[in-house]
Amino acid sequence: MNIALSIRNGLVPIHRAGRPFIVAGVLATVAASFLWTPLAWSAGLVTLWVCYFFRDPERTTPVEDGIVVSPADGRISMIAEALPPPELDLPRVPMLRVSVFMSIFDCHVNRMPVEGRIRWIAYTPGKFFNADLDKASQYNERNAIAIETPYGAVAVVQIAGLIARRIVHWAAPGDTVEVGQRFGLIRFGSRLDVYLPANAILLVTVGQTAVVGETVLGKLRGVPPERGYRTG
């Protein structure tokens, strides 16, 4: 087998959103090499970290009707009953909210928690409190997406944190989405909230580590038997 091909297949892909930052880091490293060698080493290490931050590994998403998978890598930081974001115009009744906190070392490419049709997307400017705090759901800058499913509405909310200052998504109202499908990212540490119908069955606990697109957070009511797995 071709050695170069083997090496390339062994590397984790980097999301295209990170390319401008990586190019800037390489240029900064080259420029620093003409000024001061220790500075060049520091710039090189930062560039390597940026490559690591924007990694986009393949995930194997379970294929099962009604499942809800984690939209992000990270730690299950909170599980609570809460009203959905008001900007989504969902019924003002409590839903189950599962929060996934992403550190700067987690993969930041976000994936759809459920399959369905995007009903509404709403961006809300706000503060940049620590995303691990409960008040971040209400006061921080966020991008909320409502998804229609056969089991009722589900919402996923990208929340900026102390370091995160840029929320990116490439979904649009009316899009039909698959569970585990990539839909956005948040640059440099943040959190995602998933709002589920109150009768959903939760399968995770606070403190558990979640893998984006793979960890099943819960099941919506009326779920038939498992059918297999999808890789992407």
Side-chain angles (χ1 to χ4, degrees):
M1 180 180 289
N2 184 284
I3 296 178
L5 180 61
S6 298
I7 294 174
R8 187 180 66 180
N9 290 339
L11 296 175
V12 175
I14 296 174
H15 196 274
R16 62 182 182 275
R19 292 171 187 169
F21 297 91
I22 296 169
V23 170
V26 171
L27 294 176
T29 301
V30 173
S33 66
F34 292 102
L35 300 174
W36 191 36
T37 300
L39 182 60
W41 277 105
S42 298
L45 290 175
V46 171
T47 302
L48 289 175
W49 177 79
V50 171
C51 292
Y52 177 75
F53 178 87
F54 284 102
R55 68 195 184 279
D56 184 17
E58 296 297 325
R59 302 298 192 193
T60 301
T61 301
V63 179
E64 183 179 347
D65 292 332
I67 61 168
V68 182
V69 301
S70 178
D73 274 358
R75 173 176 53 85
I76 307 297
S77 59
M78 280 179 279
I79 297 176
E81 286 193 351
L83 294 176
E87 63 269 21
L88 289 180
D89 197 29
L90 294 175
R92 304 305 291 164
V93 296
M95 302 180 73
L96 291 175
R97 188 185 71 199
V98 181
S99 301
V100 183
F101 177 77
M102 297 184 291
S103 76
I104 59 174
F105 300 106
D106 289 312
C107 172
H108 274 57
V109 175
N110 305 145
R111 293 177 179 249
M112 282 292 172
V114 294
E115 63 179 352
R117 186 178 68 87
I118 295 179
R119 172 179 173 182
W120 190 253
I121 299 178
Y123 167 78
T124 304
K127 305 294 184 181
F128 295 95
F129 294 122
N130 185 341
D132 212 13
L133 299 176
D134 183 60
K135 64 180 179 180
S137 293
Q138 180 178 359
Y139 296 111
N140 278 25
E141 176 177 320
R142 63 184 183 266
N143 186 64
I145 302 174
I147 308 163
E148 291 181 348
T149 81
Y151 307 94
V154 170
V156 58
V157 185
Q158 298 169 290
I159 302 173
L162 273 175
I163 303 175
R165 299 287 163 146
R166 178 61 173 161
I167 298 173
V168 180
H169 75 90
W170 43 86
D175 285 355
T176 298
V177 296
E178 296 182 0
V179 58
Q181 177 181 323
R182 298 171 179 86
F183 77 91
L185 59 84
I186 315 176
R187 292 206 275 261
F188 310 122
S190 45
R191 168 177 145 194
L192 271 84
D193 285 348
V194 181
Y195 290 82
L196 308 175
N199 66 346
I201 304 170
L202 290 179
L203 299 175
V204 291
T205 59
V206 173
Q208 181 177 336
T209 298
V211 178
V212 60
E214 292 190 355
T215 299
V216 178
L217 301 181
K219 292 185 179 181
L220 305 177
R221 292 292 186 176
V223 181
E226 181 180 337
R227 291 186 281 114
Y229 287 85
R230 178 177 61 81
T231 302

